[in-house]
Amino acid sequence: MPPSCCGCLSQYTHHHLVTFLLTFFSYVFLHASRKTFSNVKVSISAQWTPSPQNGSAPAFSPSETWESNRLFETEEQATLFLGVLDSIFLFSYAVGLYLSGVIGDRVNLRYVLCFGLCGSAAVDFAFGTLTEWFHLYNIYLYCSLWVLNGLLQSTVWPCVVAVMANWFGKTGRGFVFGMWSACASVGNILGAYLASTMLKYGYEYAFLVTSVVQFSGGVVVFFGLLTSPKEVGLSMECETGLSPVETDTHRPLMSDDEEEEEEEEDVYECHHTIQQQDEPHEEPRAVGFLQAFCLPGVLPYSLAFACLKMVNYSFFFWLPFYLSNNYGWREAEADRLSMWYDVGGIIGGTVQGLISDFMGKRSPVLALSLMLAMACLVGYSHSPNDKATNGALLAITGFFIGGPSNMIGSAISADLGRQDAVRGSREALATVTGIVDGTGSIGAAVGQYLVSLIESKLGWVSVFYFFVIMTGGSILFIAPMILKEVRAVWRERQALRHQL
């Protein structure tokens, strides 16, 4: 690790470590339970369709037909409904993110986070376990539960990003958040492992285990999480040794004069606790939704994230199903192989976050990664029926797709919520994060239905070319911001030449 990174980490307290771990595993457990649904789709589809009858089996009597406890006549209909459920979940998740971000900036983050984790765990248990135990096969029940689940899960991400941004300053944020944003991929790996392990007992037990783990995590968060350094008498931001990062917005996060003043104040605050807590002070007011939406850089990154999250979540929801159906591999084997995509995302988010810290820029790193991702998608669409080759291609694809997705959803969202345009009104972190992730979820919701539709009409190869188009669209949305950076650098060099 570079010395500057070591210096950065050496100034963090044990409170920073506890906050990192609690928020990290909060989202790990959430994504593990979310991953369960995508990893048991084959089993659910089989349960929702009639079993084949042999010649000696008795025919269905009129009063005891399979329609009494089965939902669909064919596997294709069941697959299409699974895509509809994914879209329903993501649409409700997107709407909830817009609301949850605003709530998170006005209500104690710990309460909102615990409510979302425990409530979502209860709904997952009802959806996957209770409905199977009591044979409650009903389309409207499944849709209602998944709408509620999307709304509850939407409370988690804006809260954990806001808590992390409260504890970890702008300096070195790309590296710290790059490591931390691996929580989603780690959750996917954990969920895939638990699902593949419990499938032999029935898919309902996979839901049971992950929902219990998530509920337990919510209880631990309620009693152990500190949402801000103020709760233990520390300053709100302790800047460390790495150079500050300028986000790709229409105006910089800080002007030069303000940056010098901030550095002087932070050096003092990092070594002193707040001694006069009883003195009256003005609380920062929360930024309104429309005001946060109009902040520089929020809209371009939100639209880019909509395209990128459509691709990323399509892998999340459909990869095990694709591997099982396209290559004929067993469901448990497909679940385990899908983990390599998340391994690539973990490494990609950390490495690309660190590079963006040293460059002082985020968008060039994103653009290069996404251009390489387009080539990887084309290559993976022609992957042979070989598990080792498929796993390697999945890891590479995850590196170039999951990495940028993690950066936009965490480090860049935190940068946008703490930019110069909201100084004096700092309560914008959860709102901005909710807007970026909510817009991304709308794109992902539309994508899940399109994936099932394109696959049924044109096949999986066409689905991957659709992913290539969406990845290119995300590059186009951040392209104007890259051009502005290039112009700014060119002007600085011209000014230096005139001075010399």
Side-chain angles (χ1 to χ4, degrees):
M1 184 180 296
S4 56
C5 291
C6 295
C8 170
L9 297 177
S10 65
Q11 298 190 35
Y12 293 138
T13 67
H14 71 281
H15 295 295
H16 291 83
L17 178 61
V18 171
T19 301
F20 185 100
L21 293 176
L22 284 178
T23 53
F24 183 90
F25 282 103
S26 295
Y27 209 68
V28 165
F29 297 149
L30 183 79
H31 246 261
S33 65
R34 190 185 299 179
K35 182 67 172 175
T36 301
F37 178 64
S38 66
N39 280 32
V40 299
K41 279 183 174 178
V42 174
S43 296
I44 293 178
S45 177
Q47 186 68 15
W48 286 351
T49 52
S51 301
Q53 297 289 315
N54 56 40
S56 61
F60 289 117
S61 62
S63 60
E64 295 181 356
T65 60
W66 64 266
E67 286 90 347
S68 62
N69 63 351
R70 297 294 186 267
L71 293 177
F72 305 101
E73 295 182 2
T74 63
E75 183 180 344
E76 288 74 16
Q77 292 178 352
T79 301
L80 189 61
F81 181 66
L82 290 171
V84 170
L85 282 179
D86 290 337
S87 295
I88 287 175
F89 170 82
L90 287 172
F91 271 121
S92 59
Y93 182 72
V95 172
L97 281 167
Y98 289 132
L99 301 175
S100 300
V102 176
I103 295 173
D105 281 331
R106 291 162 173 79
V107 181
N108 190 299
L109 293 169
R110 181 164 56 91
Y111 298 155
V112 179
L113 182 56
C114 177
F115 175 76
L117 287 171
C118 294
S120 172
V123 173
D124 279 332
F125 174 72
F127 179 92
T129 305
L130 291 182
T131 56
E132 180 61 26
W133 282 352
F134 294 100
H135 304 290
L136 300 174
Y137 305 111
N138 185 277
I139 291 176
Y140 300 105
L141 176 61
Y142 285 127
C143 291
S144 300
L145 287 174
W146 234 221
V147 168
L148 180 59
N149 194 29
L151 293 173
L152 288 169
Q153 289 201 15
S154 68
T155 62
V156 177
W157 185 251
C159 292
V160 292
V161 172
V163 172
M164 279 291 294
N166 285 340
W167 280 93
F168 295 88
K170 179 167 63 67
T171 299
R173 181 175 287 157
F175 176 67
V176 173
F177 273 71
M179 292 190 299
W180 177 83
S181 63
C183 55
S185 297
V186 173
N188 293 342
I189 294 173
L190 176 63
Y193 175 78
L194 292 176
S196 61
T197 303
M198 302 304 297
L199 265 177
K200 57 185 177 182
Y201 304 106
Y203 75 83
E204 63 272 23
Y205 291 98
F207 279 99
L208 172 63
V209 171
T210 53
S211 60
V212 169
V213 170
Q214 181 181 327
F215 190 90
S216 303
V219 174
V220 173
V221 164
F222 181 80
F223 291 102
L225 181 64
L226 297 173
T227 61
S228 169
K230 287 183 177 181
E231 296 184 18
V232 289
L234 297 175
S235 62
M236 281 294 292
E237 290 190 25
C238 293
E239 295 296 311
T240 50
L242 292 176
S243 60
V245 175
E246 296 179 3
T247 56
D248 310 302
T249 59
H250 295 289
R251 54 188 295 187
L253 292 185
M254 296 181 182
S255 65
D256 294 338
D257 295 336
E258 289 168 340
E259 185 175 354
E260 293 177 359
E261 295 174 3
E262 281 286 309
E263 289 177 353
E264 293 176 358
E265 293 173 3
D266 289 335
V267 169
Y268 176 83
E269 289 176 350
C270 282
H271 297 85
H272 296 79
T273 59
I274 300 175
Q275 300 292 336
Q276 299 177 344
Q277 296 181 355
D278 297 332
E279 293 184 2
H281 61 279
E282 182 180 354
E283 293 292 335
R285 62 181 179 85
V287 170
F289 177 84
L290 292 178
Q291 183 182 356
F293 197 86
C294 295
L295 288 173
V298 171
L299 181 59
Y301 272 117
S302 297
L303 295 176
F305 199 39
C307 296
L308 184 57
K309 196 169 184 178
M310 180 184 295
V311 179
N312 198 40
Y313 264 58
S314 295
F315 274 91
F316 172 80
F317 281 116
W318 290 102
L319 183 56
F321 187 86
Y322 164 75
L323 294 174
S324 180
N325 282 267
N326 192 60
Y327 297 105
W329 298 334
R330 289 186 301 173
E331 190 175 16
E333 294 176 339
D335 290 345
R336 293 190 179 96
L337 189 64
S338 67
M339 297 179 189
W340 287 105
Y341 178 82
D342 297 297
V343 171
I346 293 172
I347 301 173
T350 304
V351 172
Q352 293 172 35
L354 180 61
I355 294 174
S356 70
D357 279 338
F358 283 118
M359 288 183 61
K361 306 290 181 183
R362 305 259 194 242
S363 61
V365 180
L366 292 178
L368 178 60
S369 178
L370 292 174
M371 284 188 288
L372 294 173
M374 296 172 68
C376 292
L377 287 168
V378 174
Y380 183 73
S381 66
H382 297 89
S383 174
N385 192 345
D386 179 75
K387 294 178 182 177
T389 304
N390 199 290
L393 290 175
L394 273 178
I396 297 172
T397 305
F399 182 94
F400 292 114
I401 294 179
S405 180
N406 290 343
M407 284 183 62
I408 296 177
S410 58
I412 291 177
S413 294
D415 290 342
L416 295 173
R418 280 287 173 86
Q419 58 181 294
D420 186 56
V422 293
R423 290 195 67 201
S425 179
R426 290 232 167 174
E427 299 301 314
L429 277 168
T431 303
V432 170
T433 303
I435 290 172
V436 174
D437 202 22
T439 307
S441 297
I442 291 177
V446 174
Q448 303 323 298
Y449 180 76
L450 291 177
V451 166
S452 60
L453 187 63
I454 295 173
E455 189 277 329
S456 62
K457 301 295 183 181
L458 302 174
W460 282 108
V461 174
S462 299
V463 171
F464 283 102
Y465 281 103
F466 170 69
F467 292 162
V468 172
I469 295 173
M470 290 298 100
T471 305
S474 64
I475 299 176
L476 291 178
F477 283 118
I478 63 174
M481 307 169 76
I482 300 176
L483 293 176
K484 288 186 178 181
E485 286 189 353
V486 172
R487 292 173 183 171
V489 172
W490 176 260
R491 289 172 183 170
E492 290 177 0
R493 291 182 177 179
Q494 291 296 324
L496 289 174
R497 289 178 181 177
H498 288 301
Q499 291 177 2
L500 294 177

PDB file of all heavy atoms in Angstrom, residues 119-133:
ATOM      1  N   GLY A 119     -37.465  -4.783   8.831  1.00  0.00           N
ATOM      2  CA  GLY A 119     -38.704  -4.887   8.074  1.00  0.00           C
ATOM      3  C   GLY A 119     -38.534  -5.683   6.794  1.00  0.00           C
ATOM      4  O   GLY A 119     -39.371  -6.530   6.450  1.00  0.00           O
ATOM      5  N   SER A 120     -37.434  -5.446   6.089  1.00  0.00           N
ATOM      6  CA  SER A 120     -37.174  -6.188   4.852  1.00  0.00           C
ATOM      7  C   SER A 120     -36.954  -7.665   5.128  1.00  0.00           C
ATOM      8  O   SER A 120     -37.395  -8.536   4.364  1.00  0.00           O
ATOM      9  CB  SER A 120     -35.950  -5.592   4.140  1.00  0.00           C
ATOM     10  OG  SER A 120     -35.558  -6.388   3.052  1.00  0.00           O
ATOM     11  N   ALA A 121     -36.282  -7.996   6.241  1.00  0.00           N
ATOM     12  CA  ALA A 121     -36.065  -9.397   6.599  1.00  0.00           C
ATOM     13  C   ALA A 121     -37.390 -10.111   6.839  1.00  0.00           C
ATOM     14  O   ALA A 121     -37.582 -11.260   6.422  1.00  0.00           O
ATOM     15  CB  ALA A 121     -35.178  -9.488   7.834  1.00  0.00           C
ATOM     16  N   ALA A 122     -38.323  -9.426   7.498  1.00  0.00           N
ATOM     17  CA  ALA A 122     -39.634 -10.021   7.759  1.00  0.00           C
ATOM     18  C   ALA A 122     -40.392 -10.275   6.450  1.00  0.00           C
ATOM     19  O   ALA A 122     -41.041 -11.312   6.285  1.00  0.00           O
ATOM     20  CB  ALA A 122     -40.441  -9.107   8.681  1.00  0.00           C
ATOM     21  N   VAL A 123     -40.308  -9.337   5.503  1.00  0.00           N
ATOM     22  CA  VAL A 123     -41.002  -9.501   4.229  1.00  0.00           C
ATOM     23  C   VAL A 123     -40.373 -10.634   3.414  1.00  0.00           C
ATOM     24  O   VAL A 123     -41.081 -11.433   2.784  1.00  0.00           O
ATOM     25  CB  VAL A 123     -40.991  -8.182   3.436  1.00  0.00           C
ATOM     26  CG1 VAL A 123     -41.553  -8.386   2.033  1.00  0.00           C
ATOM     27  CG2 VAL A 123     -41.796  -7.118   4.171  1.00  0.00           C
ATOM     28  N   ASP A 124     -39.042 -10.723   3.399  1.00  0.00           N
ATOM     29  CA  ASP A 124     -38.373 -11.825   2.701  1.00  0.00           C
ATOM     30  C   ASP A 124     -38.813 -13.180   3.256  1.00  0.00           C
ATOM     31  O   ASP A 124     -39.042 -14.134   2.505  1.00  0.00           O
ATOM     32  CB  ASP A 124     -36.848 -11.695   2.839  1.00  0.00           C
ATOM     33  CG  ASP A 124     -36.260 -10.705   1.851  1.00  0.00           C
ATOM     34  OD1 ASP A 124     -36.855 -10.524   0.779  1.00  0.00           O
ATOM     35  OD2 ASP A 124     -35.207 -10.115   2.153  1.00  0.00           O
ATOM     36  N   PHE A 125     -38.919 -13.254   4.573  1.00  0.00           N
ATOM     37  CA  PHE A 125     -39.357 -14.490   5.218  1.00  0.00           C
ATOM     38  C   PHE A 125     -40.780 -14.851   4.795  1.00  0.00           C
ATOM     39  O   PHE A 125     -41.083 -16.017   4.488  1.00  0.00           O
ATOM     40  CB  PHE A 125     -39.282 -14.324   6.735  1.00  0.00           C
ATOM     41  CG  PHE A 125     -39.843 -15.478   7.511  1.00  0.00           C
ATOM     42  CD1 PHE A 125     -39.161 -16.684   7.567  1.00  0.00           C
ATOM     43  CD2 PHE A 125     -41.045 -15.355   8.185  1.00  0.00           C
ATOM     44  CE1 PHE A 125     -39.685 -17.759   8.292  1.00  0.00           C
ATOM     45  CE2 PHE A 125     -41.573 -16.415   8.900  1.00  0.00           C
ATOM     46  CZ  PHE A 125     -40.883 -17.621   8.963  1.00  0.00           C
ATOM     47  N   ALA A 126     -41.654 -13.854   4.733  1.00  0.00           N
ATOM     48  CA  ALA A 126     -43.032 -14.108   4.316  1.00  0.00           C
ATOM     49  C   ALA A 126     -43.103 -14.513   2.844  1.00  0.00           C
ATOM     50  O   ALA A 126     -43.843 -15.431   2.478  1.00  0.00           O
ATOM     51  CB  ALA A 126     -43.883 -12.867   4.561  1.00  0.00           C
ATOM     52  N   PHE A 127     -42.310 -13.830   1.994  1.00  0.00           N
ATOM     53  CA  PHE A 127     -42.342 -14.088   0.551  1.00  0.00           C
ATOM     54  C   PHE A 127     -41.837 -15.480   0.195  1.00  0.00           C
ATOM     55  O   PHE A 127     -42.477 -16.216  -0.569  1.00  0.00           O
ATOM     56  CB  PHE A 127     -41.502 -13.033  -0.172  1.00  0.00           C
ATOM     57  CG  PHE A 127     -41.438 -13.218  -1.666  1.00  0.00           C
ATOM     58  CD1 PHE A 127     -42.351 -12.601  -2.502  1.00  0.00           C
ATOM     59  CD2 PHE A 127     -40.454 -14.010  -2.254  1.00  0.00           C
ATOM     60  CE1 PHE A 127     -42.293 -12.765  -3.883  1.00  0.00           C
ATOM     61  CE2 PHE A 127     -40.384 -14.190  -3.627  1.00  0.00           C
ATOM     62  CZ  PHE A 127     -41.316 -13.556  -4.438  1.00  0.00           C
ATOM     63  N   GLY A 128     -40.685 -15.861   0.727  1.00  0.00           N
ATOM     64  CA  GLY A 128     -40.050 -17.092   0.291  1.00  0.00           C
ATOM     65  C   GLY A 128     -40.322 -18.301   1.150  1.00  0.00           C
ATOM     66  O   GLY A 128     -40.272 -19.436   0.659  1.00  0.00           O
ATOM     67  N   THR A 129     -40.612 -18.085   2.437  1.00  0.00           N
ATOM     68  CA  THR A 129     -40.746 -19.203   3.363  1.00  0.00           C
ATOM     69  C   THR A 129     -42.199 -19.488   3.728  1.00  0.00           C
ATOM     70  O   THR A 129     -42.685 -20.612   3.554  1.00  0.00           O
ATOM     71  CB  THR A 129     -39.931 -18.940   4.642  1.00  0.00           C
ATOM     72  OG1 THR A 129     -38.571 -18.652   4.296  1.00  0.00           O
ATOM     73  CG2 THR A 129     -39.960 -20.147   5.557  1.00  0.00           C
ATOM     74  N   LEU A 130     -42.895 -18.489   4.221  1.00  0.00           N
ATOM     75  CA  LEU A 130     -44.277 -18.715   4.652  1.00  0.00           C
ATOM     76  C   LEU A 130     -45.185 -19.114   3.495  1.00  0.00           C
ATOM     77  O   LEU A 130     -46.051 -19.986   3.649  1.00  0.00           O
ATOM     78  CB  LEU A 130     -44.820 -17.457   5.340  1.00  0.00           C
ATOM     79  CG  LEU A 130     -44.211 -17.111   6.706  1.00  0.00           C
ATOM     80  CD1 LEU A 130     -44.891 -15.873   7.292  1.00  0.00           C
ATOM     81  CD2 LEU A 130     -44.330 -18.283   7.671  1.00  0.00           C
ATOM     82  N   THR A 131     -45.009 -18.465   2.333  1.00  0.00           N
ATOM     83  CA  THR A 131     -45.867 -18.804   1.191  1.00  0.00           C
ATOM     84  C   THR A 131     -45.673 -20.250   0.747  1.00  0.00           C
ATOM     85  O   THR A 131     -46.620 -20.899   0.282  1.00  0.00           O
ATOM     86  CB  THR A 131     -45.570 -17.867   0.005  1.00  0.00           C
ATOM     87  OG1 THR A 131     -44.174 -17.927  -0.319  1.00  0.00           O
ATOM     88  CG2 THR A 131     -45.968 -16.439   0.335  1.00  0.00           C
ATOM     89  N   GLU A 132     -44.456 -20.773   0.910  1.00  0.00           N
ATOM     90  CA  GLU A 132     -44.201 -22.167   0.542  1.00  0.00           C
ATOM     91  C   GLU A 132     -44.697 -23.127   1.623  1.00  0.00           C
ATOM     92  O   GLU A 132     -45.262 -24.175   1.323  1.00  0.00           O
ATOM     93  CB  GLU A 132     -42.713 -22.368   0.273  1.00  0.00           C
ATOM     94  CG  GLU A 132     -42.318 -23.776  -0.125  1.00  0.00           C
ATOM     95  CD  GLU A 132     -42.986 -24.231  -1.417  1.00  0.00           C
ATOM     96  OE1 GLU A 132     -43.341 -23.363  -2.253  1.00  0.00           O
ATOM     97  OE2 GLU A 132     -43.161 -25.452  -1.591  1.00  0.00           O
ATOM     98  N   TRP A 133     -44.469 -22.777   2.877  1.00  0.00           N
ATOM     99  CA  TRP A 133     -44.935 -23.642   3.958  1.00  0.00           C
ATOM    100  C   TRP A 133     -46.456 -23.810   3.949  1.00  0.00           C
ATOM    101  O   TRP A 133     -46.971 -24.885   4.198  1.00  0.00           O
ATOM    102  CB  TRP A 133     -44.482 -23.072   5.304  1.00  0.00           C
ATOM    103  CG  TRP A 133     -43.033 -23.344   5.609  1.00  0.00           C
ATOM    104  CD1 TRP A 133     -42.170 -24.139   4.917  1.00  0.00           C
ATOM    105  CD2 TRP A 133     -42.283 -22.812   6.701  1.00  0.00           C
ATOM    106  NE1 TRP A 133     -40.924 -24.144   5.496  1.00  0.00           N
ATOM    107  CE2 TRP A 133     -40.956 -23.339   6.600  1.00  0.00           C
ATOM    108  CE3 TRP A 133     -42.573 -21.956   7.756  1.00  0.00           C
ATOM    109  CZ2 TRP A 133     -39.964 -23.038   7.506  1.00  0.00           C
ATOM    110  CZ3 TRP A 133     -41.581 -21.643   8.675  1.00  0.00           C
ATOM    111  CH2 TRP A 133     -40.286 -22.175   8.547  1.00  0.00           C
TER     112      TRP A 133
END
